[in-house]
């Protein structure tokens, strides 16, 4: 049994004060939900205060990125160890980091190693662009991203990794993918890729989320698919009402 995970990626939104008021609303209402894990990934600047606020709440905190380096003269960077003071998870390989910050699979692999070393659970994002999809190469792109990002990585428990399948053309565009298509990619490409690496038993327990324009209206369609173990939510996670409504769809 894989417990559904609903993760919010706030991206570069919300000051500390805005973050606190959004989280206060989530905290009040989250206790009415069971059998679902909730993770929020705010900007670094709010992590310390939110960590204090969430001390007795089941809401988990994640970072949106870490450096591949463990410490040193790397101006502007945040290490895994620093993030792990406040976070249990870290988003890695997000398509925005790949596209705007030149992160490739080799760098993402180093970041996965850095996360593991710091005791953070990577939420590893993979997904094809529209051009790759139209060219019929989506499956190969995803296989290649998984192979590259996870090269040489050992996993002791399935809970030590989360994979998010995020077709790039569906992120922040309002253009969501069909739930059946997502199921097909997960069951024919992603989970077999994980099984080839670590064996079926371990792969069966790894949570694989869908991400791409998830909202309260379409969330039920994804979350009712047995192969989809939750959602990575961008835009809709900035609204307490929308994010809570998505969480409610897991019930
Ligand atoms: C994301 O940032 O990972 C994402 C899926 O964004 P959105 O929900 O806005 O498409």
């Amino acid at each position: 049994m894989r417990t559904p995970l609903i993760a919010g990626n706030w991206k570069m939104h919300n000051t500390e004060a805005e973050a606190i008021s959004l989280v206060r609303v989530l905290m009040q209402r989250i206790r009415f939900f069971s059998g679902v894990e909730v993770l929020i990934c705010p900007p670094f600047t709010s992590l310390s205060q939110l960590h204090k606020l969430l001390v007795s709440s089941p809401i988990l905190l994640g970072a949106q990125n870490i450096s591949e380096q463990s410490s040193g003269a790397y101006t502007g960077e945040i290490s895994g160890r620093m993030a792990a003071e406040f976070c249990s998870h870290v988003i890695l390989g997000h398509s925005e980091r790949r596209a705007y910050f030149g992160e490739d699979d080799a760098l993402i692999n180093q970041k996965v190693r850095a996360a593991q070393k710091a005791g953070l659970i990577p939420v590893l994002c993979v997904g094809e662009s529209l051009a790759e999809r139209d060219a019929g190469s989506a499956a190969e792109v995803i296989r290649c991203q998984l192979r590259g990002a996870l090269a040489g990585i050992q996993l002791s428990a399935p809970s030590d990794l989360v994979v998010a399948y995020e077709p790039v053309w569906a992120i922040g565009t309002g253009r969501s993918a069909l739930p059946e298509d997502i199921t097909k990619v997960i069951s024919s490409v992603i989970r077999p890729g994980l099984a080839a690496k670590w064996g079926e038993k371990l792969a069966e327990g790894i949570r694989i989320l869908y991400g791409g324009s998830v909202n309260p209206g379409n969330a039920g369609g994804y979350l009712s698919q047995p192969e989809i173990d939750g959602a990575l939510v961008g835009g809709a996670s900035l609204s307490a009402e929308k994010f809570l409504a998505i969480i409610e769809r897991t019930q």
Side-chain angles (χ1 to χ4, degrees):
M1 280 298 285
R2 299 182 294 261
T3 306
L5 172 67
I6 304 296
N9 173 15
W10 290 9
K11 312 194 188 195
M12 197 171 70
H13 293 287
N14 288 335
T15 62
E16 188 182 81
E18 289 161 351
I20 288 171
S21 50
L22 174 51
V23 168
R24 279 196 202 284
V25 181
L26 296 179
M27 281 169 72
Q28 277 161 11
R29 305 259 300 276
I30 223 84
R31 49 205 158 103
F32 300 109
F33 302 117
S34 63
V36 56
E37 276 180 23
V38 176
L39 168 70
I40 53 168
C41 302
F44 290 122
T45 49
S46 299
L47 287 176
S48 170
Q49 282 306 318
L50 292 185
H51 179 67
K52 286 183 196 136
L53 193 63
L54 290 170
V55 73
S56 56
S57 160
I59 299 175
L60 300 166
L61 264 184
Q64 296 176 21
N65 182 33
I66 53 166
S67 170
E68 72 281 14
Q69 305 292 343
S70 51
S71 68
Y74 300 102
T75 302
E77 290 290 88
I78 303 278
S79 72
R81 193 163 152 256
M82 292 168 183
E85 278 194 288
F86 312 115
C87 299
S88 53
H89 292 69
V90 57
I91 299 173
L92 294 175
H94 193 280
S95 64
E96 288 153 16
R97 300 233 35 111
R98 292 176 191 260
Y100 308 142
F101 302 96
E103 294 197 5
D104 60 11
D105 293 321
L107 179 64
I108 295 161
N109 178 254
Q110 289 183 50
K111 292 191 176 201
V112 171
R113 289 165 191 268
Q116 283 195 325
K117 199 169 158 207
L120 292 164
I121 299 171
V123 179
L124 173 66
C125 303
V126 295
E128 79 286 0
S129 67
L130 188 55
E132 289 161 341
R133 182 185 189 233
D134 290 346
S137 56
E140 196 37 44
V141 167
I142 296 163
R143 275 191 205 105
C144 191
Q145 289 173 337
L146 284 174
R147 264 199 308 268
L150 298 174
I153 299 293
Q154 305 295 324
L155 210 63
S156 34
S159 53
D160 291 347
L161 176 72
V162 176
V163 176
Y165 172 42
E166 301 208 303
V168 179
W169 47 271
I171 299 177
T173 57
R175 203 181 140 187
S176 51
L178 289 175
E180 299 72 25
D181 290 347
I182 300 302
T183 285
K184 204 166 144 204
V185 172
I186 292 176
S187 57
S188 67
V189 180
I190 301 179
R191 206 171 293 285
L194 301 175
K197 202 168 167 44
W198 294 307
E200 285 207 5
K201 193 158 173 258
L202 202 73
E204 267 308 306
I206 297 173
R207 285 180 292 188
I208 304 177
L209 317 181
Y210 166 69
S213 299
V214 174
N215 60 48
N218 63 20
Y222 298 114
L223 299 170
S224 61
Q225 301 272 320
E227 273 297 322
I228 304 180
D229 304 317
L232 180 53
V233 185
S237 70
L238 296 170
S239 149
E241 287 312 314
K242 287 184 188 167
F243 194 54
L244 287 160
I246 292 168
I247 298 165
E248 196 175 8
R249 301 292 185 272
T250 63
Q251 300 296 288

